[in-house]
Amino acid sequence: MKTYQAKTVEEALEQASKELGFEVEQLIYQVEDKKRGLFTKKVVVNVFEMTDVIRYAEDYILGITDALEIDASVNTKLDDENNIIHLTVESIHNPILIGKNGKTLQSLNELVKTAVNSHFHHRFRILVDIGGYKDKKYEKLIRVARRYAFKVAKTKQDYTFEPMPADERRAIHNAINNIRHVKSESIGEGNKRQVKLIYVE
């Protein structure tokens, strides 16, 4: 974290932009209370790097596992192309952290994402996985999605999946992207969002 002071937030961010080599829109920052002197007032802006965000996310997850008295480790990878922070948790109690049909893992993912976004006042794409569970789930989803997509192309009857998280919907969209006469759309709101496979001429 680096701290910048100026008369306005814009000036502080401009200083940070020049020093760090990022566009102002790319900066992750928090504005502290204004410091007032006898004749001047200054704005204090804390600018964070992605390593600060990752460290906070890792510590947050480990805080949860410690509270559950579960020994765990976290391995993090940053997907620069898609701007996603991948956090993989490993422990001897993976099934507990995953939960039935991945429900506990899904809740953990939402909790971590909400905590990080709230702390940094910035929207991050975060994906938490437990022992490779998500990768196996994606492989299964891709197989199922392609099978139903070919069925839609053949029967001309649309198909709608059960509600699922955004990352799983994305896996389906990517899986059927090049299948002729079929397109996919996300429908519904909140945690009831679903993927619909639609026949197109």
Side-chain angles (χ1 to χ4, degrees), residues 28 50 77-86 122-127:
I28 307 163
M50 189 57 75
K77 291 182 180 178
L78 182 61
D79 180 350
D80 289 318
E81 184 177 347
N82 298 302
N83 199 28
I84 301 175
I85 301 172
H86 290 268
H122 190 91
R123 186 176 179 275
F124 296 97
R125 293 174 67 184
I126 295 174
L127 181 61

Side-chain angles (χ1 to χ4, degrees), residues 10 21 56 60 79 90 114 116 124 140 168 177 180:
E10 290 74 17
Y56 182 87
Y60 192 87
D79 180 350
E90 293 287 354
T114 300
V116 173
F124 296 97
K140 181 180 178 181
E168 294 178 11
N177 195 36
R180 295 181 63 190

Side-chain angles (χ1 to χ4, degrees), residues 16 58 61 102 111 174 188 196:
E58 290 176 342
I61 290 175
L111 191 60
N174 292 337
K196 185 175 183 178

